[in-house]
Amino acid sequence: MTNVYYLPSEVVIHNTPDDIWVTYLGRVYNLTELVKEYEGQDVIKPILAFAGKDISHWFDRFTGEIRHMIHPITGARVPYTPHGRIPHVGLHVPTTAWRPLQTLPWWADPKYLIGNLTQGMRNVRVLNVLTGQENVITVCKEDKLSRIMERLMRFNSHCASYTFKFETRVLDMDKTLEENHIPDERETFCDVGLPEDYYIPCLMLYYNDDFTTA
């Protein structure tokens, strides 16, 4: 799943206790199962408060572990949890209730990882040559054409029955827009005083007539 990329707008909609995603250190995690495990406990409240949001500030970007601080009273090095204690983080003060963690902490557990947060977004126009339907969609710059096709399924469930072209070239579905020589020219437009959406590349969809069904 680590080769799948998500837009921030795709993460933010997963913001309820029954469906909760978060991002940290550039990756996307589905914490719904964790939230259910700790349902009703105070330790899950910080995660609920950041449902659909980024929590990278909880972590050390070099180690990927929870950040630490020096406790102002005990002088001990303790986990930094600015919004309250979270699952798999021990108490900050000496106590007989302390127990060593017997499992992999949730922030390091790959079972919650579902993909990566995009490092950039871009718009693309898609024209169905057969029907004339045209849509402008926002995609991740890392998306391969096969992933863009998946995004188009909500407009046309038969997308797999089409050949994708740009101008006259058949596109490689295993490559990104850039790798298919469809550059992102927004910065150039802005440099010369044009709006960044002055030109949006158009992908042309040609029906293969392969008699597939939905």
Side-chain angles (χ1 to χ4, degrees):
M1 298 296 290
T2 55
N3 61 344
V4 176
Y5 289 84
Y6 293 95
L7 301 162
S9 58
E10 293 176 302
V11 177
V12 73
I13 60 175
H14 298 274
N15 58 13
T16 68
D18 295 325
D19 179 23
I20 177 169
W21 292 11
V22 297
T23 63
Y24 53 92
L25 304 180
R27 294 194 168 187
V28 182
Y29 295 81
N30 183 343
L31 300 185
T32 306
E33 184 180 335
L34 181 72
V35 169
K36 289 181 179 179
E37 181 182 348
Y38 288 88
E39 184 176 2
Q41 300 183 41
D42 287 345
V43 292
I44 209 64
K45 289 181 178 179
I47 292 177
L48 291 173
F50 279 83
K53 301 177 183 177
D54 187 76
I55 55 173
S56 294
H57 62 290
W58 295 4
F59 302 92
D60 184 318
R61 65 187 181 92
F62 297 107
T63 66
E65 292 296 322
I66 288 287
R67 293 171 60 192
H68 283 71
M69 67 176 190
I70 302 302
H71 195 283
I73 297 176
T74 66
R77 185 173 180 271
V78 297
Y80 174 67
T81 52
H83 307 286
R85 193 162 150 256
I86 57 177
H88 301 169
V89 170
L91 299 172
H92 284 181
V93 295
T95 173
T96 56
W98 181 86
R99 296 291 185 276
L101 184 62
Q102 299 293 331
T103 186
L104 188 67
W106 60 266
W107 56 85
D109 194 332
K111 75 177 182 180
Y112 299 114
L113 176 64
I114 59 173
N116 303 289
L117 188 65
T118 183
Q119 297 299 303
M121 303 175 289
R122 60 179 299 188
N123 289 334
V124 63
R125 180 178 287 110
V126 183
L127 174 64
N128 186 326
V129 176
L130 177 66
T131 65
Q133 180 182 4
E134 184 174 336
N135 301 99
V136 176
I137 65 171
T138 302
V139 302
C140 302
K141 71 174 187 179
E142 304 90 349
D143 280 346
K144 297 183 185 301
L145 264 293
S146 56
R147 172 66 168 154
I148 293 176
M149 182 181 69
E150 290 177 12
R151 295 181 183 280
L152 286 168
M153 289 293 185
R154 68 180 186 271
F155 302 111
N156 182 349
S157 60
H158 294 276
C159 276
S161 297
Y162 288 76
T163 294
F164 284 61
K165 292 185 179 182
F166 177 69
E167 297 176 343
T168 59
R169 292 186 288 110
V170 175
L171 300 177
D172 188 331
M173 302 302 285
D174 292 322
K175 293 183 177 180
T176 66
L177 293 172
E178 288 280 353
E179 292 168 344
N180 272 291
H181 308 293
I182 307 175
D184 184 354
E185 300 178 292
R186 290 176 297 177
E187 187 174 333
T188 302
F189 295 149
C190 291
D191 286 345
V192 297
L194 294 172
E196 66 174 29
D197 60 351
Y198 176 76
Y199 167 72
I200 300 175
C202 184
L203 306 183
M204 314 288 282
L205 271 59
Y206 290 84
Y207 189 57
N208 296 329
D209 195 23
D210 60 0
F211 302 104
T212 60
T213 58

Coordinates of all heavy atoms in Angstrom, one line a residue, residues 24 65-66 87-89 101 103-110 112:
Y24 N 1.1 11.5 9.2 CA 2.3 12.0 9.9 C 3.6 11.5 9.2 O 3.6 10.4 8.6 CB 2.4 11.5 11.4 CG 2.2 10.1 11.7 CD1 3.3 9.2 11.8 CD2 0.9 9.5 11.9 CE1 3.1 7.9 12.1 CE2 0.7 8.2 12.3 CZ 1.8 7.4 12.4 OH 1.7 6.0 12.7
E65 N 10.0 8.2 15.9 CA 9.5 7.9 17.2 C 8.8 9.2 17.8 O 9.0 10.3 17.4 CB 10.6 7.4 18.1 CG 11.1 6.0 17.7 CD 10.1 4.9 17.8 OE1 9.3 5.0 18.7 OE2 10.1 4.1 16.9
I66 N 8.0 8.9 18.9 CA 7.4 10.0 19.6 C 8.5 10.9 20.1 O 9.6 10.5 20.6 CB 6.6 9.5 20.8 CG1 5.3 8.8 20.3 CG2 6.3 10.5 21.8 CD1 4.2 9.7 19.8
P87 N -2.4 6.4 23.3 CA -2.1 4.9 23.5 C -0.6 4.6 23.3 O 0.1 5.2 22.5 CB -3.0 4.3 22.4 CG -4.1 5.2 22.2 CD -3.5 6.6 22.4
H88 N -0.2 3.6 24.1 CA 1.2 3.1 24.1 C 2.3 4.1 24.6 O 3.5 3.8 24.3 CB 1.5 2.6 22.6 CG 0.6 1.6 22.1 ND1 0.6 1.2 20.8 CD2 -0.3 0.8 22.7 CE1 -0.3 0.2 20.6 NE2 -0.9 0.0 21.8
V89 N 1.9 5.1 25.2 CA 2.8 6.0 25.9 C 2.6 5.9 27.4 O 1.5 6.1 27.9 CB 2.6 7.5 25.4 CG1 3.4 8.4 26.3 CG2 3.0 7.6 24.0
L101 N 5.8 -1.7 27.6 CA 5.0 -1.9 26.5 C 5.3 -3.3 25.9 O 6.5 -3.6 25.6 CB 5.2 -0.8 25.4 CG 4.3 -0.9 24.2 CD1 2.9 -0.7 24.6 CD2 4.8 0.2 23.2
T103 N 3.9 -4.6 23.1 CA 3.6 -4.7 21.7 C 4.2 -3.6 20.9 O 4.8 -2.7 21.5 CB 2.0 -4.6 21.5 OG1 1.7 -4.8 20.2 CG2 1.5 -3.2 22.0
L104 N 4.1 -3.7 19.6 CA 4.7 -2.6 18.8 C 3.8 -1.4 18.9 O 2.6 -1.5 18.8 CB 4.7 -3.1 17.3 CG 5.4 -2.3 16.3 CD1 6.9 -2.3 16.5 CD2 5.1 -2.8 14.9
P105 N 4.4 -0.2 19.2 CA 3.6 1.0 19.3 C 2.8 1.3 18.0 O 3.3 1.0 16.9 CB 4.6 2.1 19.6 CG 5.9 1.6 19.1 CD 5.8 0.1 19.3
W106 N 1.6 1.8 18.1 CA 0.8 2.0 17.0 C 1.4 2.8 15.9 O 1.2 2.6 14.7 CB -0.6 2.6 17.4 CG -0.5 3.9 18.0 CD1 -0.5 4.2 19.4 CD2 -0.5 5.2 17.4 NE1 -0.5 5.5 19.6 CE2 -0.5 6.2 18.4 CE3 -0.5 5.6 16.1 CZ2 -0.4 7.5 18.2 CZ3 -0.5 7.0 15.8 CH2 -0.4 7.9 16.8
W107 N 2.2 3.8 16.3 CA 2.8 4.7 15.3 C 3.9 4.0 14.4 O 4.3 4.5 13.4 CB 3.4 6.0 15.9 CG 4.4 5.7 17.0 CD1 5.7 5.5 16.8 CD2 4.1 5.6 18.4 NE1 6.3 5.3 18.0 CE2 5.4 5.4 19.0 CE3 3.0 5.8 19.2 CZ2 5.5 5.2 20.4 CZ3 3.1 5.6 20.6 CH2 4.4 5.4 21.2
A108 N 4.3 2.8 14.9 CA 5.3 2.1 14.1 C 4.8 0.8 13.5 O 5.5 0.0 12.9 CB 6.5 1.7 15.1
D109 N 3.5 0.6 13.7 CA 2.8 -0.7 13.3 C 2.4 -0.5 11.8 O 1.5 0.3 11.5 CB 1.6 -1.0 14.2 CG 1.1 -2.4 14.0 OD1 1.3 -3.0 12.9 OD2 0.6 -3.0 15.0
P110 N 3.0 -1.3 10.9 CA 2.6 -1.2 9.5 C 1.2 -1.6 9.2 O 0.7 -1.2 8.1 CB 3.6 -2.2 8.8 CG 4.0 -3.2 9.9 CD 4.0 -2.4 11.2
Y112 N -1.4 -0.2 10.2 CA -2.2 1.0 10.1 C -1.9 1.8 8.8 O -2.6 2.7 8.4 CB -2.1 1.8 11.3 CG -2.5 1.2 12.6 CD1 -1.6 0.8 13.6 CD2 -3.9 0.8 12.8 CE1 -2.1 0.2 14.8 CE2 -4.3 0.2 13.9 CZ -3.4 -0.1 14.9 OH -3.8 -0.7 16.1

